[in-house]
Amino acid sequence: ADHQGHDVSKYKLVYRGSEDGMTPEAFHSKCDNKGPTVVFVKVKDSDDVIGGYTSQAWCATENYALDNEAFVFSIEKNLFCPVAIAESAIFQSGSTGPYFGDDESLIVFKEKVGGNYNVVVNSYDCYTDGETFSGKGGYTFEPEEVEVYEVSD
């Protein structure tokens, strides 16, 4: 199916936090070893949706993965930030959800706060326009929704 010039059949929803559970374990059970994915995070009490894309598969090896195609984005700020340091584009950690950047550029489900997992965004060098993407320094928030789509050619 075509939608505004995009073939939406290339995108398959593999994880929805509100249905599958907002935890690192739920993310990994649904998203590991899927190949390229795009992550969308709805910021609670905000109109913003942020996220990232990686051409690499998620897994729990506790290693950085090289990815020349990775990027993070903010829809509200109209920001598209390609990877600047490809060697550490993503971190494949079993103890968090999607983890972009070598300095916590965007980490979904980093820590439990008040019973719920949070999302961390920092200013960083791993992606271009990092300071603009994260605002002033780092901040954390509770996600309203998290969705991950598998992307096929």
Side-chain angles (χ1 to χ4, degrees):
D2 191 88
H3 180 71
Q4 296 179 343
H6 298 283
D7 182 0
V8 293
S9 64
K10 287 182 168 186
Y11 304 93
K12 177 185 168 194
L13 179 67
V14 291
Y15 168 82
R16 178 175 283 140
S18 60
E19 294 175 8
D20 299 318
M22 295 269 215
T23 67
E25 297 78 17
F27 162 77
H28 284 285
S29 73
K30 296 283 189 177
C31 301
D32 279 7
N33 306 309
K34 295 284 188 201
T37 52
V38 61
V39 177
F40 294 93
V41 181
K42 172 74 174 75
V43 181
K44 196 170 189 176
D45 302 321
S46 164
D47 292 331
D48 203 8
V49 175
I50 64 172
Y53 166 83
T54 179
S55 66
Q56 300 300 305
W58 295 107
C59 57
T61 58
E62 307 306 319
N63 289 310
Y64 286 103
L66 183 140
D67 189 353
N68 290 304
E69 299 174 31
F71 60 85
V72 293
F73 61 85
S74 162
I75 291 176
E76 186 179 52
K77 294 178 185 173
N78 196 27
L79 278 175
F80 169 80
C81 309
V83 69
I85 304 172
E87 292 75 20
S88 49
I90 66 166
F91 188 67
Q92 297 164 318
S93 171
S95 61
T96 71
Y99 188 136
F100 293 87
D102 60 358
D103 42 10
E104 308 189 346
S105 308
L106 169 60
I107 308 179
V108 183
F109 309 143
K110 181 171 187 218
E111 297 163 327
K112 234 178 186 171
V113 178
N116 297 314
Y117 276 96
N118 67 5
V119 175
V120 176
V121 180
N122 273 323
S123 60
Y124 50 86
D125 300 319
C126 195
Y127 289 87
T128 61
D129 300 322
E131 291 180 3
T132 312
F133 173 74
S134 71
K136 296 188 173 102
Y139 65 93
T140 64
F141 64 88
E142 188 180 327
E144 184 176 313
E145 183 63 275
V146 179
E147 291 183 345
V148 180
Y149 290 82
E150 184 179 359
V151 183
S152 60
D153 290 337

